[in-house]
Amino acid sequence: MTYDSSNIFAKILRGEIPCHKVYEDSDAICFMDVMPQGPGHALIVPKAPSRNMLDADPAVLAKLLPLIQKITKASKAAFGADGITVMQFNEPAGGQTVFHLHYHVIPRFDGVPLKSHSGKMEDPAILAANAEKLRAALA
Ligand code: AMP
């Protein structure tokens, strides 16, 4: 399978559609998932084009992991979480629905199950407030 630049995260990276942005540098962007599996669910997307981990440049992955750790720590602090789930899916059989590499960072709370994947659209005001909390924790 080859990379298709018409995917929704490529459009966000090109500024063609909006997102609730948390963080951006020359290599990656972080924004809120619009159908969160828990409050504060964020996505980390490298700018380099690849479908997923199967075709990603190892150098891109090596640069990304420290950012994933940074957002994971900020997320725990921002949302007072008991733990954090970091997830990543590869190809439809692996659960992937958007075909530009990304990592999910989801605050978790004792005894609270994850909501369904790509489930219900969140209120934009809540997404904006959660993006602000995460930005503040990163500052
Ligand atoms: P997956 O490819 O299965 O790892 O997940 C893609 C994720 O992207 C899902 O959790 C969706 O809720 C999320 N998503 C889809 N479209 C958007 C969008 N425009 N902005 C933010 N998140 C999105």
Side-chain angles (χ1 to χ4, degrees):
M1 298 291 261
T2 54
Y3 180 78
D4 177 356
S5 63
S6 65
N7 74 78
I8 199 135
F9 293 168
K11 288 180 182 169
I12 289 174
L13 285 169
R14 290 195 295 269
E16 293 168 10
I17 62 166
C19 69
H20 293 278
K21 196 196 297 185
V22 171
Y23 173 88
E24 183 170 12
D25 64 23
S26 55
D27 298 312
I29 187 170
C30 172
F31 52 86
M32 304 314 289
D33 194 305
V34 289
M35 290 172 272
Q37 290 185 254
H41 182 168
L43 299 169
I44 301 167
V45 182
K47 293 186 174 178
S50 76
R51 279 175 69 83
N52 51 46
M53 286 188 70
L54 298 170
D55 61 338
D57 181 344
V60 169
L61 298 178
K63 268 196 170 173
L64 204 58
L65 197 53
L67 177 62
I68 294 170
Q69 184 192 35
K70 191 172 164 179
I71 305 273
T72 297
K73 287 180 169 182
S75 182
K76 189 167 184 301
F79 300 105
D82 300 311
I84 302 287
T85 295
V86 176
M87 301 194 298
Q88 189 277 324
F89 303 105
N90 300 278
E91 298 299 327
Q96 188 175 10
T97 59
V98 177
F99 298 97
H100 181 116
L101 177 63
H102 56 279
Y103 290 78
H104 300 253
V105 175
I106 310 176
R108 301 300 304 276
F109 300 88
D110 290 334
V112 180
L114 275 185
K115 291 189 201 157
S116 67
H117 188 51
S118 295
K120 184 176 155 282
M121 205 70 152
E122 184 56 280
D123 177 349
I126 291 177
L127 294 174
N130 285 340
E132 178 51 40
K133 278 187 192 168
L134 198 43
R135 273 197 302 275
L138 278 166

